[in-house]
Amino acid sequence: DAGVIQSPRHEVTEMGQEVTLRCKPISGHNSLFWYRQTMMRGLELLIYFNNNVPIDDSGMPEDRFSAKMPNASFSTLKIQPSEPRDSAVYFCASSLGPGAEAFFGQGTRLTVV
Amino acid sequence: KNEVEQSPQNLTAQEGEFITINCSYSVGISALHWLQQHPGGGIVSLFMLSSGKKKHGRLIATINIQEKHSSLHITASHPRDSAVYICAVGTLGGTSYGKLTFGQGTILTVHP
């Protein structure tokens, strides 16, 4: 398996634009996690899905952020409208279950100018 | 106080030295993870443990559940070990079972 695949690797966008980050989990993994990493706050969980259902979205910062998992092999994290403070590296991870070892994607580095 | 505290925040060592990074946590956990993040940014899971000790090559991870403390040891350190090492704990129970809470990371630099 190629591991967790995220796209794009880098995204630069203007404030106010919509941004969509994509993730393909490892085949067979039932849990998918979206994390955000910044210098100030380190790694934070935004949301996680189990069997395509959102379980815990308490880390989603505000209504501008939304995440979907339409099927077991694809998830999106959308920011609309984007703001400069959203600039961060966004990681997707998947695991066999919520308590199992997580495998991380390479991350998407988002810069909002 | 953060739920997961790592020490030290920065660590510099000479090649060959034995290295220890510590992690203390204050919540009930399902498991503790040690992660490695290289300058390129990718995150790799090194260990997941809920008791005792695990060893992989030159890396050893231990956990003491009663004391809520874990250590990551690197024997015969090498410059390629230079990275950020992150401790993360999985939450115990409820809908947040397995949700990871992260320490702030330890920046390790190993000089030749």
Side-chain angles (χ1 to χ4, degrees), chain B residues 37-105:
Chain B
Q37 185 172 28
H38 274 284
I43 296 174
V44 174
S45 176
L46 297 175
F47 295 103
M48 186 180 82
L49 66 166
S50 54
S51 65
K53 180 169 79 172
K54 287 190 175 180
K55 184 176 188 294
H56 185 251
R58 295 180 294 106
L59 301 178
I60 303 167
T62 64
I63 187 169
N64 185 317
I65 297 295
Q66 287 73 30
E67 295 185 2
K68 295 185 175 175
H69 180 268
S70 175
S71 293
L72 176 68
H73 306 286
I74 304 175
T75 61
S77 60
H78 190 275
R80 64 174 175 265
D81 297 326
S82 298
V84 178
Y85 291 83
I86 302 168
C87 172
V89 298
T91 305
L92 187 67
T95 57
S96 294
Y97 175 74
K99 170 182 172 178
L100 291 182
T101 302
F102 298 88
Q104 73 274 35

